[in-house]
Amino acid sequence: MPKAYDPAAIEERWAQYWVSERLFEVRTPAPGTSHPRAFTILLPPPNVTGNLHMGHMFEHTETDILVRWHRMLGETALWLPGTDHAGIATQMLVERQLTTEGTTRQALGREAFVERVWQWRRHYGGAILSSMKRIGDTVDWSREYFTMDERLSVAVREAFVRLYEDGLIYRGAYIVNWCPRCQTAISDLEVAHEEQQGNLWEIRYPVVASPGEFLTVATTRPETMLGDVAVAVNPLDERYTHLHGKTLRLPLTNREIPVITDDWVKSDFGTGAVKVTPAHDPNDFAIAQRHNLPSISVMDETAHMSAEAGPAYAGLDRYDARKKVLEDLEAQGLLGAVRDHVNAIGKCARCQTIVEPRLSTQWFVAVNKTPNKGGDSMAEMARKVVCEAKPGDPASKPLRFTPENYEKIYLEWMNNIYDWCISRQLWWGHRIPAWHCAACKKITVARRDPTHCAHCGSRQITQETDVLDTWFSSGLLPVTVFGWPPPQGQSTPDLDAFYPTSLLVTGFDILFFWVARMIMLGCYFSKDVPMPDGSKRALKDSVPFREVYIHSLVRDADRQKMSKTKGNVVDPVEIVERYGTDAVRFTLASMSSPGTDIAFSEARTEGYRAFANKIWNAARFIFMNVERARETGIEIDHTVRGHVPKADETDPIETRWIVARLSSVAAQVGIDLSEYRFDLAASEIYQFFWGDFCDWYLEIVKLRLDFADSARKAATKSALTILLQTFESALRLLSPIMPFLTEELWHALYDDETPARSIALTRYPQGAAHSDDVLEIHFHLLQQLIVSVRALRKDLGVEEKASVPVRIRSAHDGWVFEENFDVIQRLARVSSVELVSSIPEGATIRSTPQFDVQVVYEKTIDVLAERERLTKELAKLEKNLASAERQLSNPAFLEKAPPHVVEGLGKIAADTRLLMEKTRKALKDLA
RNA sequence: GGGCGGUUAGCUCAGCUGGUCAGAGCGCCUGCCUUACAAGCAGGAGGUCGCAGGUUCGAGCCCUGCACUGCCCA
């Protein structure tokens, strides 16, 4: 075994082993058979175009820890992977490729283009999946899906048709966010808002009936005035009362438009008069609807002015048009004041192009509408799942969020939700299964491609060219991956076994995009699927997942959001190659405290690589001793290794102590993981492995491993047995966080005759808190003594290698020191221990409330340094005592504080007083 | 404009429903290559818990205001 741990030497091998041995595949249980409780997690499917970034690695680390933990608890743990076809992202990528080849998708034509995307996917689509294998994700690869798979496409189509039949999908002309570069509608969520310094222009609109009079409007977008259909003022605004119902002449055009009143208009904004341009502003669109006004589109899909804008402007880019409109208004003397104004602009989340509100015909899901067949709207169901609970038992909610505050954020959004625009003007995606009839203009929506119009029978039908929003198909995943739709009135074996899934681990950035949609669609479509026993599915079993754990965001070391444009993306694979996957996983786990973002720190990763190395070397030490044992004829029974060690009264103190510690750590880690406190679990294990197991237990156990003295053979064998058991258990405890290292050492521990094919398939150590309090007190006393002696040695300048005698004056429990003389001797380099009733005057000592200890050594102490130390300590003790006494002398405190607090503080005060006395004496003796 | 977080050691962060915590790792100082580990061992130094009030017998912890900072939504 090499002296230093080299992750590169082992990780690749295990990563391949886990996949090729198909260790984490979960078979569908045969119908009607009983099976262990299922723990099911759906992997948020990464974009097929994606590469693994630190955010993924973080999410996967947390998820994998949970999945491995649940698997080791004996549950059927299914983590289901797949990739998302990612409509816009993928199409853009392939289009860019075409550009470099000097061609375009339009030149290729739709069919050839789509085929081209498939080709791309076959060649490059698996990058992120390979990375997942490399970092040890224990997903079930046999169930891997792609959102455009035939099976899923059929399901997506079925879902669309059902929603259409239920009256929840409609087509209509609405203002949508339009990306002029992608040339498609995008959803509200795909728009990133930004503040930008702009202007607010005042424009004078002549009043038709009153020459020389103007109504001045204020606008941030003068170029859209060409599409104005009215000017609106607040009905209560007295400045404009006389103009109500009057007509204005729209400058630069010959159109006449009315002055209307609407409550929406804020009198204190601008001039209190706003132009109404329904085709280019969502608010204006709403006003136009209320007032039955027409819409005039003056821009085309590339954000150039259309013919409707008039011959002077048609063909101009929107910003060139703005310039010209302003110039023309200026020339006509109709331009008023120009003010600075900060306005919020929307940018396409994909390509950063400024989004144009555009009137267009799109497909929508009516999320607030009651279905034709009755029942709750989707949004209503989605609200109920987090609200409905048995009285006084919030844990009985069908769906819970961790951290809890996300429930509020989710509900807030769900309460204000608008209809969901699901059509995209792309070629890559699930094409909407609707056909337009050229004869009767009606629409036929069908499960199978129709040959004629369902309304008039005409054969002149053409399929809708739009595809579905990517989130429509990914929103269906919790049901579709398990075989939905089942035959009428039935279920599928996978839905029976795995739906609802147990947990969703994801980031809040896709809470609305994806989580909320899964909840709506999952509830809607699963509620008609009967339960395994044939009964009707209740709301609590319709949810796509019973819990949602929202993790934090990973940022770079300077707290900046990692993004490609900033160039501060930390490549996890590169870090993994330098430090090992385990160290990176441990870093991410230990930094994952809830609520705060993570600033990824390489320094910490370095620290955890050292931790891995520490364990590696502890293993080397153990193997060395196993080897020695074998050479001296001590055989360790292999079968004892898989058990959590048990100690009895006759075992040495360190044995009983480490066994108790292991037990309480195992118990605590179980609690931590159940609360998603990966950070606490990690630090608990770290502290145990390094602080307890290596620093104390291993050092002491060296005393027991005596291969020379045949009389001590039994004791040696017993010590080695417990050592092996403890180490083996600790490896299992650590394995969900550090799967590679623990797998390697675990196999080595068994000489490759392992009881299972992987440590991941063994059982997780269970424990109990505080299994032996008295013992812990005694062991702690021993530790304190050893630490005191070491400190004294340092103060006295005793050479590192020299052994010295010590005198101990102990209040009680002195036998602990006597009985464990050998431990003290080895760990503190002591030649003899003498228990005395008093320590000679003037000796340099260390004190605790329980004991005083003197190191007998001729070299004198650095008096000045010692005085400084003692003075400082005395001051601190005085401060503590004063604070304790202040409270203890307060009648209100004695009366109101709980007894155990009063008692505890009393003991602290007594101990402090004792220590102060000792410290004062030591100071005096120094002089 | 609305909402949600954060502010604790030089750095990165823990600190549970107020009492027994002022903590960890890294960094720093000192001494050690003690045959598992120098990616190590041992011993240290270092904080008025953002500021100001309040509640309480008692406040990093609860309340109010302020400052700085990050994010989400409009």
Side-chain angles (χ1 to χ4, degrees):
Chain A
M1 240 177 125
K3 194 167 162 181
Y5 173 53
D6 178 17
I10 66 161
E11 290 192 349
E12 198 78 46
R13 179 160 41 90
W14 289 120
Q16 280 171 14
Y17 176 82
W18 292 330
V19 176
S20 65
E21 293 295 302
R22 313 173 136 224
L23 296 182
F24 309 115
E25 293 183 7
V26 175
R27 290 223 185 84
T28 300
T33 57
S34 67
H35 52 274
R37 200 179 116 136
F39 179 77
T40 318
I41 289 194
L42 204 60
L43 171 82
N47 284 357
V48 67
T49 54
N51 286 302
L52 191 88
H53 58 65
M54 211 35 117
H56 289 125
M57 175 129 189
F58 177 52
E59 184 173 285
H60 291 214
T61 296
E62 292 192 330
T63 309
D64 195 46
I65 289 171
L66 290 171
V67 171
R68 284 176 181 268
W69 177 53
H70 278 274
R71 188 181 292 117
M72 290 178 80
L73 290 177
E75 297 169 28
T76 301
L78 171 61
W79 185 13
L80 216 156
T83 42
D84 194 298
H85 68 278
I88 297 183
T90 313
Q91 174 159 335
M92 273 176 65
L93 201 140
V94 176
E95 278 188 76
R96 259 204 301 270
Q97 229 175 37
L98 291 179
T99 307
T100 64
E101 294 166 18
T103 182
T104 63
R105 87 178 140 102
Q106 285 81 2
L108 235 57
R110 183 161 188 154
E111 209 172 308
F113 177 77
V114 169
E115 180 45 40
R116 181 65 199 257
V117 181
W118 275 108
Q119 267 177 32
W120 181 91
R121 187 249 167 183
R122 280 191 288 271
H123 280 130
Y124 309 103
I128 196 162
L129 301 173
S130 313
S131 301
M132 284 172 61
K133 287 172 183 159
R134 177 62 185 78
I135 64 172
D137 286 351
T138 57
V139 298
D140 179 349
W141 291 108
S142 71
R143 289 174 184 264
E144 181 196 333
Y145 64 84
F146 179 55
T147 49
M148 291 271 283
D149 282 346
E150 176 64 18
R151 179 172 68 91
L152 295 192
S153 298
V154 169
V156 166
R157 184 157 175 177
E158 174 68 24
F160 183 94
V161 174
R162 282 203 202 176
L163 288 174
Y164 187 79
E165 288 171 348
D166 294 347
L168 297 183
I169 282 184
Y170 63 93
R171 189 166 182 256
Y174 284 90
I175 285 272
V176 293
N177 302 295
W178 182 270
C179 175
R181 203 221 62 87
C182 303
Q183 293 192 29
T184 179
I186 55 181
S187 79
D188 291 345
L189 289 169
E190 289 163 315
V191 178
H193 293 273
E194 251 176 51
E195 295 213 321
Q196 187 174 284
Q197 192 54 243
N199 294 304
L200 190 64
W201 287 275
E202 291 185 359
I203 307 174
R204 287 195 279 272
Y205 287 17
V207 181
V208 171
S210 170
E213 191 182 355
F214 299 93
L215 176 52
T216 306
V217 302
T219 180
T220 59
R221 302 213 50 198
E223 69 278 14
T224 63
M225 66 164 290
L226 301 167
D228 283 4
V229 297
V231 168
V233 298
N234 191 287
L236 302 175
D237 192 338
E238 290 175 3
R239 289 173 295 176
Y240 302 121
T241 313
H242 68 289
L243 291 173
H244 291 180
K246 292 275 170 33
T247 302
L248 307 171
R249 180 164 304 281
L250 184 62
L252 312 182
T253 72
N254 280 323
R255 280 192 288 119
E256 292 189 357
I257 56 174
V259 175
I260 58 169
T261 61
D262 196 285
D263 291 335
W264 181 81
V265 181
K266 293 191 207 91
S267 303
D268 55 359
F269 181 81
T271 59
V274 299
K275 58 197 231 11
V276 178
T277 323
H280 299 283
D281 183 282
N283 292 313
D284 293 8
F285 183 78
I287 294 177
Q289 295 250 296
R290 285 196 285 274
H291 297 267
N292 279 317
L293 295 166
S295 296
I296 301 173
S297 287
V298 292
M299 277 183 227
D300 63 14
E301 65 278 1
T302 62
H304 286 71
M305 306 311 282
S306 66
E308 292 278 0
Y313 305 100
L316 287 179
D317 169 80
R318 51 185 162 169
Y319 299 110
D320 295 335
R322 174 180 299 179
K323 219 180 272 173
K324 182 155 169 48
V325 163
L326 289 169
E327 281 166 12
D328 293 350
L329 287 170
E330 178 83 74
Q332 296 185 24
L334 296 174
L335 190 60
V338 182
R339 301 176 204 286
D340 286 340
H341 180 72
V342 177
N343 44 358
I345 52 150
K347 288 187 169 178
C348 173
R350 286 267 156 239
C351 69
Q352 313 301 317
T353 306
I354 295 179
V355 164
E356 191 62 44
R358 182 162 192 263
L359 185 66
S360 65
T361 302
Q362 303 287 345
W363 294 81
F364 294 85
V365 173
V367 292
N368 290 308
K369 189 182 166 195
T370 302
N372 290 342
K373 57 186 183 183
D376 287 328
S377 71
M378 279 194 254
E380 182 57 23
M381 259 192 288
R383 284 189 288 266
K384 277 185 180 171
V385 296
V386 296
C387 295
E388 271 187 5
K390 291 183 197 120
D393 181 16
S396 66
K397 285 176 184 173
L399 197 153
R400 282 185 302 148
F401 280 92
T402 305
E404 283 169 18
N405 59 322
Y406 282 105
E407 180 185 309
K408 226 176 85 187
I409 298 171
Y410 165 83
L411 261 182
E412 188 67 28
W413 188 76
M414 209 40 102
N415 280 328
N416 295 298
I417 189 171
Y418 294 105
D419 286 353
W420 170 17
C421 174
I422 51 167
S423 46
R424 296 291 183 273
Q425 289 65 49
L426 302 172
W427 286 355
W428 175 241
H430 298 100
R431 193 160 173 181
I432 290 178
W435 281 259
H436 302 281
C437 176
C440 72
K441 305 292 177 203
K442 286 186 176 160
I443 289 171
T444 303
V445 168
R447 290 175 173 81
R448 290 191 165 179
D449 291 7
T451 53
H452 55 269
C453 174
H455 307 280
C456 70
S458 163
R459 291 188 175 274
Q460 287 180 279
I461 54 169
T462 48
Q463 187 172 1
E464 168 66 59
T465 53
D466 290 357
V467 299
L468 288 165
D469 179 8
T470 300
W471 298 103
F472 185 85
S473 53
S474 53
L476 288 162
L477 285 172
V479 290
T480 53
V481 294
F482 296 127
W484 186 92
Q488 192 63 39
Q490 293 177 44
S491 183
T492 71
D494 275 344
L495 280 170
D496 279 353
F498 304 117
Y499 194 92
T501 64
S502 313
L503 177 67
L504 178 74
V505 179
T506 190
F508 78 99
D509 49 331
I510 52 172
L511 183 61
F512 307 131
F513 274 118
W514 191 48
V515 182
R517 267 93 182 248
M518 277 193 287
I519 295 174
M520 290 192 289
L521 294 170
C523 290
Y524 191 79
F525 287 113
S526 71
K527 70 178 194 304
D528 299 328
V529 177
M531 295 295 284
D533 65 2
S535 63
K536 194 171 156 23
R537 192 170 287 266
L539 188 64
K540 77 170 175 57
D541 297 311
S542 302
V543 290
F545 24 78
R546 301 195 188 278
E547 277 186 67
V548 180
Y549 173 69
I550 306 276
H551 58 70
S552 1
L553 246 48
V554 182
R555 301 175 175 279
D556 74 0
D558 301 319
R559 269 203 175 281
Q560 297 292 305
K561 199 168 175 173
M562 290 187 190
S563 75
K564 275 185 212 142
T565 44
K566 279 186 200 153
N568 62 344
V569 177
V570 180
D571 177 11
V573 175
E574 192 242 337
I575 303 271
V576 156
E577 275 163 9
R578 276 196 287 141
Y579 298 99
T581 309
D582 286 332
V584 180
R585 286 173 62 120
F586 205 95
T587 307
L588 292 168
S590 69
M591 295 185 88
S592 80
S593 43
T596 49
D597 289 342
I598 295 172
F600 185 79
S601 142
E602 240 177 85
R604 292 218 17 192
T605 311
E606 232 169 284
Y608 294 125
R609 179 185 57 180
F611 178 56
N613 186 55
K614 185 79 181 171
I615 293 165
W616 180 262
N617 278 290
R620 284 180 60 225
F621 170 79
I622 292 166
F623 295 150
M624 199 179 83
N625 282 288
V626 170
E627 192 50 41
R628 263 193 236 161
R630 191 172 297 146
E631 283 162 8
T632 47
I634 298 173
E635 277 304 325
I636 305 295
D637 183 0
H638 269 213
T639 60
V640 304
R641 296 185 189 188
H643 299 94
V644 174
K646 290 210 166 50
D648 60 50
E649 293 290 306
T650 60
D651 280 313
I653 190 165
E654 79 281 359
T655 295
R656 286 183 288 150
W657 174 74
I658 200 69
V659 167
R661 278 290 297 150
L662 175 68
S663 174
S664 71
V665 168
Q668 191 53 50
V669 168
I671 293 169
D672 295 338
L673 290 179
S674 70
E675 293 169 350
Y676 309 111
R677 290 305 303 265
F678 306 96
D679 57 328
L680 297 182
S683 82
E684 195 80 34
I685 293 172
Y686 182 96
Q687 174 55 37
F688 172 77
F689 235 128
W690 199 320
D692 298 335
F693 185 82
C694 292
D695 288 348
W696 290 97
Y697 174 65
L698 274 190
E699 289 307 318
I700 298 175
V701 101
K702 285 174 181 171
L703 283 170
R704 320 295 182 206
L705 299 174
D706 186 340
F707 299 99
D709 187 351
S710 59
R712 294 184 59 190
K713 224 170 171 173
T716 300
K717 179 175 174 174
S718 151
L720 191 56
T721 302
I722 296 275
L723 172 59
L724 282 167
Q725 287 182 327
T726 309
F727 187 65
E728 196 270 354
S729 300
L731 286 179
R732 278 184 280 135
L733 199 62
L734 176 63
S735 72
I737 311 183
M738 291 189 150
F740 292 94
L741 172 70
T742 52
E743 185 82 299
E744 173 75 14
L745 295 179
W746 185 76
H747 280 264
L749 199 57
Y750 282 95
D751 240 344
D752 289 325
E753 289 171 23
T754 54
R757 284 196 291 162
S758 163
I759 191 172
L761 301 178
T762 62
R763 289 292 164 268
Y764 206 65
Q766 301 297 301
H770 305 299
S771 34
D772 197 341
D773 284 341
V774 178
L775 178 84
E776 292 219 21
I777 289 169
H778 289 154
F779 194 80
H780 183 64
L781 199 58
L782 200 55
Q783 287 177 308
Q784 272 190 307
L785 182 87
I786 289 164
V787 168
S788 298
V789 172
R790 283 170 176 168
L792 263 180
R793 289 173 55 107
K794 187 95 169 173
D795 287 349
L796 289 167
V798 180
E799 286 92 21
E800 204 72 23
K801 284 179 179 162
S803 281
V804 287
V806 300
R807 293 201 183 95
I808 303 168
R809 194 198 64 77
S810 173
H812 36 76
D813 291 337
W815 59 269
V816 174
F817 304 130
E818 235 168 4
E819 207 164 81
N820 295 290
F821 167 66
D822 51 353
V823 174
I824 299 169
Q825 185 183 36
R826 182 179 174 97
L827 269 64
R829 294 199 182 245
V830 160
S831 56
S832 67
V833 167
E834 187 187 351
L835 284 180
V836 295
S837 53
S838 73
I839 289 188
E841 290 290 318
T844 305
I845 60 166
R846 283 278 167 136
S847 302
T848 71
Q850 285 76 36
F851 63 80
D852 305 308
V853 60
Q854 176 203 3
V855 166
V856 185
Y857 193 65
E858 72 273 21
K859 251 193 192 170
T860 45
I861 195 161
D862 179 342
V863 175
L864 274 178
E866 182 66 0
R867 178 174 294 140
E868 193 189 326
R869 187 183 71 80
L870 289 170
T871 312
K872 243 180 182 171
E873 190 174 312
L874 191 61
K876 197 172 140 196
L877 290 169
E878 264 165 359
K879 205 178 122 196
N880 290 351
L881 183 63
S883 135
E885 280 180 337
R886 194 175 342 108
Q887 289 207 65
L888 286 166
S889 62
N890 184 343
F893 170 74
L894 297 174
E895 190 189 328
K896 293 186 179 177
H900 75 274
V901 171
V902 178
E903 201 179 308
L905 199 61
K907 184 160 176 0
I908 286 171
D911 280 352
T912 308
R913 235 175 259 123
L914 190 60
L915 259 182
M916 277 173 70
E917 228 172 85
K918 290 179 177 185
T919 309
R920 279 211 193 89
K921 185 170 177 307
L923 261 176
K924 211 178 91 194
D925 288 350
L926 263 187

